[in-house]
């Protein structure tokens, strides 16, 4: 019965979403408070209903109820409990349900915490949110229903794709969806503003924190996904410029731009129209990502069960929302009021610079991802666009942006002093120069690009901290006053510094790995050793280790440096009999920020030896640590008192007016 | 500088950036993309030695040979022609004889394909899309049935509702 | 029933909650948006003062910011007061209109939900968590119950071809072979011929004949092959038939063909290899080299259903029959039974004709043991003893073998 109650709740939530997509907006047009209020209730109720549906599906997974087709196809009774939970979204249908759950969750947040929003804005936002929700609920119920039943029920399921049997699945998709779907709020606000024909003062105050929340999760989600692919695929790569990765990266780039332009809008009421356009584009890219991943139009290393019929449905949703939003934008944008003026050299100017480069970068990624599709449709030719393309296009676009990052926070609003900012960056420039010279000397002048890469990373690292230190004025006022001032700095200043610092950290990791990584592929037998990056790896033994639903063949290595055992590494291959699939569990030893990565290949014909691939990856973890810094920076920014969502409480309204 | 001039300058600057990016994209597209070809295509039209190719097809049965180290040779076939491939490194977990595969690399002067990347299907039901399209176009594949010459794999009528 | 109550309750709660605000008498009227802007800007001004106090913003910066916010505040305040901008909207709907909306929601929302659910849902289907089904009697009851239900449905509407299609393999698994054959015939009649239906029919007939591929079964398999020339299960049974009828040359070609066409992990691979070896032996050819398919790691994976003696017996003990049993344990009960029994019958028949085959007897005895047919195993052991002279090497080998697998000679003598 639980299954069917979940199914019914899902259907009911569709009806509720339909009501929600009409009534509040009607109320907003006529200023009718009663109709507008239905939005709040419908949004919260819809969320509860979808949560019931999701819990029901999860319950069927946990109890291995194979009368549910989705459970039968994607789980197995012998799976460990954690994977029974995560199997819920380890497949197309279940993950779509998670997708709408999060969409409804964000809608409910607006409904509950938006008490102080202007009522018409809130009602419009909730209606737009309900359009998206209704479209995707319809998609789920018609083409990818997770509650389809099997009668009679089979005794055993077909198991979760072994590659997904990992804690990564517990964290990565929920994070990623919180990011993807979180941008729907910015989108709904943009559409609401366009429909209403005006941008409230509260608009900018709301859009930025919500975008920030989505951005934090997307950042962490992408980083998590990257690390997961890094250790699970056994290829030692952390980014493949694969279409599925690009699908999540494009909204990130656009979302980052949105974050910065919303800042201008909030502080200076400028760039309003651009911000609205960016909000639309960001969520459109999220939708595009959903389409690319699930329609099967692209070849990707990150598989998802695909079905052309679904692709057509999502494509229709995509065209409806993106096309509709852009048409609405074209019709209504001119009716919106423009904003404040600023000089090219100013904080605003810097943020425009940031937006220009970020959107251009997003556009190059978009071209690289969609070009093969277009070419196939137009010319029937099949090509693939891989890393070389993105190295040639995305890289050069990012370099000027990264160079400019430290300047931004040092420039004043409206009119900035570039020279003054440059003077404050002397120290950072010195560090960068030292890094440049140091690397050139270390490599004997052979790796010029690497040296510049390191210099840029150090420039970012120290440049982003410069603002904090110069504002605290440690040098001028002594460390005691300086410390007091430092602590008193607004949290958003820390947020900016940390996020930009994180960018530098990530860049340092990328440059280091791509220039100084070492790799050995060789055949090893028990007792043999191999040298890499000053370490000596010895193949100790090979052993069979059965798991709950797999058999593992594990190889035990010991790592020595100058004859002293530093650590031991286990690397294994797992065989899953249900799916007749093998997965690679790479052995990784983290030493400082660097890693030694061991991945097993095929055994030789006589089973006496095995192919082993070993990488030394210097500073590789910085790539993901940098992303964590960025997310923490975002959280700091979010915690800034001045960014708290919502307008002041009503009770204080009279007093505040008198004060003004 | 008047406001109008300022605006013109900033728009001009933006156009320069966007134009430069577009230029980069175009050069990169002409120089660094890989073309998908089937073994038959590759046998018919021999590409230049630097042209990157994605060779897609099935791993021919009985052709996978490991020389005891990390060096592997196998043949990729579309059931009409086949092309020998050499590869150094670890093959993907799902690399198997008779299964779909994509090898990326260049065709050497000796007509042996030198792959630097080998992608195999990602799960049991997955075939590289290009391979399926190509086989379909030549009538060697049917939707829902798979490879036409390949026999059914199930023993008897499977339990109700099986299959994905 | 409980389901419908819960569903109705959910619908009622949701509908009421949404309709509730509409039923409120008077509309308070929305706050005009520019009014709201004034609040936001005023709050910004207060925050600015706070920042200045804490010293986190420079005096000059604060001054410009204050001027900027002040400008916006004035503009917003001006708009709030001007009637055409601030007084926009608030033309609330009349009460009858709202009531009509409330009523239509109260009707439409449940109606849409129930109609939609009715098309996609399966309200009568209970949950079937595995824990519940693993209790054996429960499971049997369930299966029997389900079959009963299906039968009742088919009694009402015997022309429901898909119903027969579903039921036939279930019968086969429940060892109701006669019913299975009948169901397959019905399915063929109603849904037209297909390889799997004819294959299933053949299997059912084979099982009725205790593993022997009868002429009828053979015809069915041949029909299956006509429809789909690469339908492997049919090929398997036809090859089995050839072995059973001791057409060695035919059997050899059929087994060879089957092996070459099957995927290496096909469940019948071991049996096919054993059959091929057997056929070759009869033809006087050398047995083929080791297992052509299944890599050895897979062979090492103990199947849950295989008897422990087989899985852990080590290489010397695992003969082709044991391997076949192991492989067969991956298949459905019906298939497994049919194949194993077919194999064993073949072997037994052959040994009756040419009893001077030590290895053959050993295989037969082990097969019976593995199948749990101790009586037959003992009988076979007795036959084997009779086949060889008392003190011959072969007899000693048989005796040693019997001891090895636990059929001791003493037991043997007492049973005799």
């Amino acid at each position: 019965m639980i299954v069917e109650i979940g199914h019914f709740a899902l259907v009911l939530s569709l009806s509720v979403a339909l009501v929600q997509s009409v009534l509040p907006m009607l109320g907003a047009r006529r200023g009718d408070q009663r109709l507008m209020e239905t939005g709040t209730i419908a949004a919260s109720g819809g969320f509860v209903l979808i949560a019931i549906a999701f819990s029901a599906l999860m319950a069927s997974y946990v109890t291995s109820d194979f009368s549910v087709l989705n459970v039968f196809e994607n789980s197995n009774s012998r799976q460990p409990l954690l994977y029974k939970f995560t199997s819920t979204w380890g497949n197309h249908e279940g993950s779509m349900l998670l997708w709408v759950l999060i969409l409804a969750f964000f809608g409910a947040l607006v409904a509950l915490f938006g008490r102080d929003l202007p009522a018409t804005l809130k009602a419009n936002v909730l209606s737009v949110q309900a359009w998206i929700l209704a479209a995707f609920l319809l998609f789920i119920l018609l083409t990818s229903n997770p509650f389809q039943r099997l009668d009679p029920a089979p005794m055993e399921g077909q198991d979760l794709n072994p590659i997904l049997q990992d804690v990564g699945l517990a964290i990565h998709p929920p994070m990623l969806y919180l990011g993807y779907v979180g941008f729907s709020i910015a989108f709904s606000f943009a559409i609401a503003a366009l429909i209403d024909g005006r941008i409230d003062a509260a608009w900018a105050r709301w859009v930025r924190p919500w975008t920030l929340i989505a951005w934090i999760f997307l950042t962490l989600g992408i980083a998590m996904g990257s690390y997961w692919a890094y250790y699970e695929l056994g290829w030692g790569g952390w980014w493949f410029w694969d279409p599925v990765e690009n699908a999540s990266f494009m909204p990130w780039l656009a979302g980052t731009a949105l974050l910065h332009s919303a800042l201008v809008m909030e502080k200076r009421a400028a760039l309003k129209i651009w911000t609205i356009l960016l909000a639309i584009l960001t969520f459109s890219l999220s939708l595009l990502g959903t389409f690319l991943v699930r329609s099967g139009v692209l070849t990707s290393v990150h598989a998802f069960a695909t079905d052309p019929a679904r692709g057509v449905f999502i494509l229709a949703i995509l065209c409806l929302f993106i096309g509709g939003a852009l048409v609405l934008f074209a019709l209504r944008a001119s009716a919106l009021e423009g904003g404040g003026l600023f000089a090219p050299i100013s904080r605003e100017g810097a943020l425009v610079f940031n937006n220009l480069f970020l959107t251009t970068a997003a556009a190059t990624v978009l071209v690289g991802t969609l070009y093969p599709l277009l070419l196939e449709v137009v010319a029937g030719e099949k090509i693939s666009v891989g890393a070389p393309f993105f190295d040639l296009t995305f890289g050069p676009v990012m370099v000027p942006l990264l160079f400019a990052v430290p300047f931004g926070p040092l420039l004043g609003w409206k009119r900035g002093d570039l020279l003054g900012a440059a003077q404050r960056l002397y120290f950072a420039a010195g560090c960068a120069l030292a890094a440049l010279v140091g690397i050139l000397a270390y490599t004997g002048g052979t790796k010029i690009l690497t040296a510049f890469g390191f210099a840029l990373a150090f420039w970012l690292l120290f440049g982003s901290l410069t603002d904090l230190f110069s504002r605290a004025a440690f040098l001028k006022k002594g460390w005691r006053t300086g410390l007091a001032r430092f602590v008193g700095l607004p949290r958003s200043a820390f947020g900016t510094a940390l996020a930009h610092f994180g960018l530098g950290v990530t860049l340092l990791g990328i440059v280091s790995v791509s220039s100084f990584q070492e790799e050995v592929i060789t055949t090893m037998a028990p007792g043999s050793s191999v040298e890499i990056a000053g370490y000596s790896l010895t193949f100790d033994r090979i052993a069979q280790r059965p798991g709950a639903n797999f058999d593992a063949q594990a190889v035990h290595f010991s790592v020595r440096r100058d004859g002293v055992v530093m650590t031991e590494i286990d690397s294994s291959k797992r065989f899953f009999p249900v799916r007749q699939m093998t997965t690679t569990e790479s052995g990784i030893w983290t030493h400082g920020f660097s890693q030694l990565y061991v991945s097993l290949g095929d055994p030789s014909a006589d089973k006496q030896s095995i192919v082993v691939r070993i990488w030394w990856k210097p500073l590789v973890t910085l790539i993901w640590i940098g992303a964590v810094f960025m997310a923490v920076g975002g959280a700091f920014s979010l915690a800034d008192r001045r960014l708290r969502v919502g307008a002041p409480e009503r009770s204080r309204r009279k007093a505040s007016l008198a004060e003004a | 500088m008047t406001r109008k001039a300022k605006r013109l300058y900033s728009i001009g600057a933006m156009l320069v950036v966007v134009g430069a990016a577009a230029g980069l994209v175009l050069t990169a597209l002409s120089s660094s993309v890989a073309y998908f070809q089937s073994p038959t295509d590759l046998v018919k039209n021999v590409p230049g030695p630097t042209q990157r190719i994605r060779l897609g097809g099935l791993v021919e049965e009985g052709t996978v040979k490991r020389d005891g180290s990390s060096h592997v040779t196998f043949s990729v076939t579309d059931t009409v022609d086949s092309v020998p491939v050499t590869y150094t490194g670890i093959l993907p977990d799902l690399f198997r004889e008779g299964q779909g595969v994509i090898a990326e690399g260049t065709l050497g002067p000796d007509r042996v394909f030198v792959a630097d990347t080998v992608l195999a299907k990602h799960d049991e039901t997955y075939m590289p899309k290009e391979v399926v399209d190509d086989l379909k176009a030549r009538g060697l594949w049917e939707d829902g049935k798979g490879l036409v010459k390949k026999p059914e794999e199930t023993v008897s009528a499977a339990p109700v509702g099986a299959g994905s | 029933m409980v389901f419908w109550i819960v569903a109705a309750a959910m619908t009622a709660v949701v509908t009421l909650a949404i309709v509730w605000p509409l039923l409120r008498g008077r509309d308070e009227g929305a706050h005009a948006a520019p009014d709201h802007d004034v609040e936001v800007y005023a709050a910004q001004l207060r925050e600015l003062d706070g920042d200045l106090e804490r010293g986190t913003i420079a005096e000059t910066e604060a001054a410009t910011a204050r001027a900027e916010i002040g400008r916006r505040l004035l503009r917003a305040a001006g708009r709030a007061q001007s009637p055409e901008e601030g007084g926009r909207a608030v033309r609330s709907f009349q009460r009858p209109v709202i009531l009509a909306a409330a009523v239509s929601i109260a009707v439409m929302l449940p109606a849409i939900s129930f109609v939609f659910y009715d098309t996609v849902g399966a309200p009568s289907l209970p949950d079937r968590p595995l824990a519940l089904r693993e209790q054996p009697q429960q499971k049997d009851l369930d299966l029997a119950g389900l079959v009963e239900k299906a039968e009742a449905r088919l009694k009402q509407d015997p022309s429901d071809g898909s119903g027969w299609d579903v039921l036939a393999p279930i019968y086969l698994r429940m060892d109701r072979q006669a019913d299975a054959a009948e169901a397959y015939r019905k399915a063929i009649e109603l849904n037209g011929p297909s390889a799997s239906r004819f294959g299933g029919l053949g299997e059912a007939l084979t099982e009725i004949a205790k593993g022997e591929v009868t002429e009828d079964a053979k015809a069915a398999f041949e029909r299956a092959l006509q429809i789909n020339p690469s339908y492997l299960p049919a090929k398997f049974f036809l090859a089995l038939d050839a072995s059973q009828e001791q057409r060695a040359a035919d059997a050899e070609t059929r087994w060879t063909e089957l092996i070459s066409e099957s995927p290496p992990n096909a469940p019948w691979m071991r049996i096919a290899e054993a059959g091929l070896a057997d056929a070759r032996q009869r033809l006087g050819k050398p047995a083929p080299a080791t297992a052509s398919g299944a890599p050895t790691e897979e062979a090492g994976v103990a199947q849950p259903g295989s008897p422990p003696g087989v899985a852990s017996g080590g290489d010397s003990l695992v003969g082709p029959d044991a391997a076949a049993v192991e492989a067969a344990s991956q298949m459905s009960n019906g298939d497994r039974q049919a194949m194993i029994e077919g194999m064993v019958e073949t072997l037994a028949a052959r040994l009756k004709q040419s009893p001077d085959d030590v290895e053959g007897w050993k295989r037969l005895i082990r097969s019976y043991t593995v199948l749990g047919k101790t009586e037959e195993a003992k009988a076979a052991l007795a036959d084997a003893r009779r086949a060889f002279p008392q003190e011959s090497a072969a007899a000693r080998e048989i005796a040693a073998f019997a001891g090895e697998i636990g059929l001791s000679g003493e037991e043997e003598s007492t049973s005799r």
Side-chain angles (χ1 to χ4, degrees), chain A residues 241-248 250 292-293 298-301 369 385:
Chain A
W241 290 109
D242 180 276
V244 168
E245 294 167 350
N246 295 346
S248 66
M250 289 186 285
L292 289 182
V293 176
L298 293 170
T299 310
S300 159
V301 295
T369 312
V385 171

Side-chain angles (χ1 to χ4, degrees), chain B residues 70-111:
Chain B
S70 51
H71 192 77
V72 187
T73 64
F74 56 91
S75 288
V76 172
T77 176
D78 55 4
T79 70
V80 179
D81 277 307
S82 76
V83 173
V85 178
T86 72
Y87 173 70
T88 303
I90 292 183
L91 289 167
D93 290 329
L94 288 162
F95 181 91
R96 273 181 214 161
E97 295 194 348
Q99 303 283 18
V101 71
I102 288 184
E104 206 171 314
T106 52
L107 192 67
D110 52 353
R111 299 286 177 90

Side-chain angles (χ1 to χ4, degrees), chain A residues 275-295:
Chain A
T275 306
I276 290 212
L277 181 62
L278 257 188
I280 293 174
L281 289 181
T282 303
F283 186 59
S284 300
L285 288 172
S286 294
L287 288 180
L288 182 72
T290 308
F291 166 69
L292 289 182
V293 176
R294 290 161 195 280
S295 62

